[in-house]
Amino acid sequence: MHHIEIRSLSKSFRNVIALDGLNIKIGKGSLFGLLGPNGAGKTTLLKILATLINPDNGEIYINNINLRKDPRTIRELIGYVAQDIALDKVLTGRELLDFQADLYHMNKIKKYERIDSLINQLEMNDWIDRKCGTYSGGMKRRIDLAAGLLHIPQILILDEPTVGLDIESREIIWKLMTNLRNQGMTIILSSHYLDEIDKLADCVAIINNGKVIDQGSPTDLKNKLGGDRISLKVREFSNNEESETIKEILSKIDGISQIVVNISQGYSLNFIADREKDLLNKLKVELAFAKFEIFSLTQSQPSLDDVYLQATGNTLQDAEIFMTGKRDFRKESKESMR
Amino acid sequence: MELQKYNIFFLYQETFALTKRLFIQLKRRPSTLFAGILQPIIWLFLFGALFTNAPKNFLPGVDSYGSFLGAGLIVFTAFSGALNSGLPLMFDREFGFLNRLLVAPLTSRLSIVLSSFIYITILSLVQSIVIMIMTFLLGYGLPDLLGLGIVFLTLILLVLFVTSISLSLAFVLPGHIELIALIFVINLPLLFSSTALAPISFMPNWLGWIASVNPLTLAIEPIRVAYSSNIDLNLIALEAPYGDLTCKNCISSLFLLTILSLIIIRPLLNKKLN
Ligand SMILES: Nc1ncnc2c1ncn2[C@@H]1O[C@H](COP(=O)(O)OP(=O)(O)OP(=O)(O)O)[C@@H](O)[C@H]1O
Ligand SMILES: [Mg+2]
């Protein structure tokens, strides 16, 4: 049985389709990564899971409980750490945790024990009794994470928990996540950092335009690409026409597959080459025959970035730059108010 | 049965925590408390002084304008406090802190609203009490025990009524700028169209009509009676254009208004909070 089952979930805001028939299953005790560019729909999905917004269509089952039918039970199971940290400036960190514990109906003894233990785990002793208004970004993240963990949720939802953090805070949070997962907590983590997901997640879903385009363990996804990743350029800055011609040539070579033109790298050609065959020589011959020289040729093990590129035809960074230009953040923040 | 007992305890726990937070905020940023007290005191001195040389007994039944003004300012203090009650909630909405409350398994989300009611009622009563002490020190007297009971009952009803309006506005309006603008627009006109500063007999007929249905008037008049005599609920408190109102009439109208406002905001809160 899966811990969380998301079935054809859809959500639109006015004319923007944020989620488009999304299906995801998450096993108990796994660390599940959501990977996707800005505007992919990660936050929307996580907010729906946290019962903050209602989906237009689709169902979510957690422990076989229908989220829409019994949101209060679901809230008890979930710890939610939002993308935008909202603390009360005038409360101290300790007061905030105390407050939060009462909202989750913890009893007094358990509450103080738990608060102390989290203060230690997240190394917050030095500043926990200062007002939240004086905290740095990393401190805010940590206190917010502690608040989400206070009632020992079965499921922890983290929306980009390490974005913009210093190395120290990042490592503390990573260590904690790994520990929690080892203790059997199900963790859902959204991130832009491929390395973070690669390092931590047991399972990843790549999301784009509100759809899951691929999912599996990072290793599986990388293996699925097979062969070596090769990036080829015939000159520093090529163009569309030329790259299409080369794509033609490449596609005729046996053992080369999944050819993608990467516009942001000066129309370089990225593809996968079977390891066994002596492909590179064959490639050089074919190119020379068509009067192309090799400007650069790099060879690498597939990374999650390649998985992403393969799935979307875009690098994660490109997709971000594109989406950021399209969004109206002020309007969104207005509209996301409850 | 067991379950219900828990629910009530949980409701208490969450409401207490929410209320406590509001009081911690007040303690660390007490300027609203002081401003709420200072403003009426300034009014009391300035307006009291304005009519120093007015002919003796130009107001029926009172010996100085200051003692006439007292009741109005006590009510206005409570009223202003309650009118602002939506602001903290609006800021929680804008800064996303409300989401923290909404993802928590609250027994009832009405505890969010309930805590605001408790907080603002206590806050405005404290402010009003300070004003009462001020007017007492200025020699304008104090009601007897029953009178004090009437004063507090009236104030609580008014505060509940106004708070429920302000809280619903905090859910309906797009942001704090709009809320503050609306408060600004409502505040003074309601004061000037009530009997806080002048009796109905001084007003033209049209204003008299407005003043006599103004909730501020309905609160001010019983308090004025409580201040001026041994209170009797059947004493005429207000000679409205449509007929005389006793203290009892005023208070029960206020009570009806309060109940009505609570009934009206219920579905709104349910919609916004579920
Ligand atoms: N309240 C809102 N009103 C209107 N549009 C919204 C709202 N919230 C999200 N959207 C739109 O829905 C889409 C998905 O947004 P979402 O915040 O879920 O993306 P995301 O994957 O979390 O992005 P990011 O990585 O930037 O946090 C975007 O196109 C966004 O513009
Ligand atoms: Mg997001």
Side-chain angles (χ1 to χ4, degrees), chain A residues 42-43 83 159-160:
Chain A
K42 303 182 295 293
T43 299
Q83 183 169 8
D159 200 350
E160 302 193 23

Side-chain angles (χ1 to χ4, degrees), chain A residues 88 90 95 105 144 338, chain B residues 14 21 25 28 93 100:
Chain A
D88 186 330
V90 300
E95 283 165 344
H105 311 122
D144 201 21
R338 289 283 299 240
Chain B
E14 66 203 31
R21 167 174 172 245
Q25 284 179 337
R28 306 227 167 115
R93 258 183 81 203
R100 191 181 286 287

Side-chain angles (χ1 to χ4, degrees), chain A residues 163-176:
Chain A
V163 82
L165 287 194
D166 57 288
I167 307 280
E168 188 207 8
S169 297
R170 264 183 117 182
E171 303 242 298
I172 291 176
I173 291 178
W174 282 352
K175 206 171 77 193
L176 183 75

Side-chain angles (χ1 to χ4, degrees), chain A residues 31-292:
Chain A
L31 207 161
F32 192 92
L34 283 178
L35 194 59
N38 288 125
K42 303 182 295 293
T43 299
T44 307
L45 170 62
L46 297 182
K47 276 188 175 167
I48 292 175
L49 276 173
T51 74
L52 273 177
I53 50 181
N54 286 321
D56 300 336
N57 273 308
E59 297 298 340
I60 296 179
Y61 291 88
I62 297 179
N63 287 351
N64 267 341
I65 302 167
N66 187 330
L67 179 135
R68 283 219 255 184
K69 298 232 167 83
D70 190 1
R72 181 125 65 84
T73 307
I74 301 293
R75 287 181 199 125
E76 279 166 18
L77 304 177
I78 283 182
Y80 174 67
V81 182
Q83 183 169 8
D84 306 308
I85 314 168
L87 303 174
D88 186 330
K89 276 191 213 160
V90 300
L91 295 187
T92 67
R94 198 187 294 275
E95 283 165 344
L96 183 84
L97 294 181
D98 192 23
F99 170 77
Q100 179 108 1
D102 283 332
L103 298 189
Y104 285 84
H105 311 122
M106 295 176 74
N107 74 43
K108 267 215 162 68
I109 305 166
K110 221 167 91 190
K111 169 165 95 177
Y112 294 122
E113 250 177 44
R114 184 74 183 140
I115 290 178
D116 284 339
S117 122
L118 281 169
I119 290 173
N120 284 330
Q121 280 179 63
L122 284 156
E123 303 176 28
M124 307 190 291
N125 250 310
D126 294 341
W127 41 267
I128 191 73
D129 289 306
R130 267 166 46 191
K131 285 183 203 158
C132 295
T134 68
Y135 289 175
S136 73
M139 295 172 179
K140 283 184 192 156
R141 273 284 166 214
R142 281 192 251 171
I143 190 78
D144 201 21
L145 189 59
L149 279 170
L150 208 53
H151 63 292
I152 317 190
Q154 280 188 17
I155 298 163
L156 181 65
I157 297 177
L158 304 168
D159 200 350
E160 302 193 23
T162 60
V163 82
L165 287 194
D166 57 288
I167 307 280
E168 188 207 8
S169 297
R170 264 183 117 182
E171 303 242 298
I172 291 176
I173 291 178
W174 282 352
K175 206 171 77 193
L176 183 75
M177 277 194 261
T178 318
N179 285 341
L180 289 170
R181 195 261 321 270
N182 293 342
Q183 287 160 27
M185 195 179 280
T186 304
I187 301 177
I188 307 174
L189 164 76
S190 83
S191 181
H192 294 215
Y193 297 128
L194 295 156
D195 59 329
E196 181 168 87
I197 296 280
D198 208 353
K199 187 170 153 177
L200 297 172
D202 312 313
C203 191
V204 201
I206 298 177
I207 298 190
N208 201 18
N209 294 324
K211 284 198 197 81
V212 176
I213 38 185
D214 212 346
Q215 63 181 315
S217 76
T219 330
D220 284 349
L221 289 180
K222 284 185 284 190
N223 286 344
K224 213 158 86 182
L225 290 178
D228 286 330
R229 295 295 310 171
I230 299 195
S231 174
L232 165 77
K233 283 185 177 187
V234 294
R235 67 182 80 245
E236 177 137 33
F237 297 103
S238 181
N239 55 47
N240 196 23
E241 206 178 323
E242 190 175 58
S243 58
E244 286 303 325
T245 317
I246 299 169
K247 195 171 168 184
E248 269 303 308
I249 301 171
L250 293 178
S251 60
K252 286 184 190 129
I253 303 175
D254 194 28
I256 287 182
S257 58
Q258 309 191 30
I259 309 160
V260 180
V261 177
N262 187 346
I263 299 170
S264 71
Q265 287 174 11
Y267 291 90
S268 70
L269 287 127
N270 295 20
F271 55 88
I272 294 166
D274 282 358
R275 287 186 186 121
E276 292 87 295
K277 300 167 187 161
D278 185 23
L279 276 174
L280 291 184
N281 274 329
K282 207 186 274 176
L283 174 70
K284 279 175 193 155
V285 173
E286 290 290 338
L287 283 175
F289 184 72
K291 305 222 159 29
F292 284 115

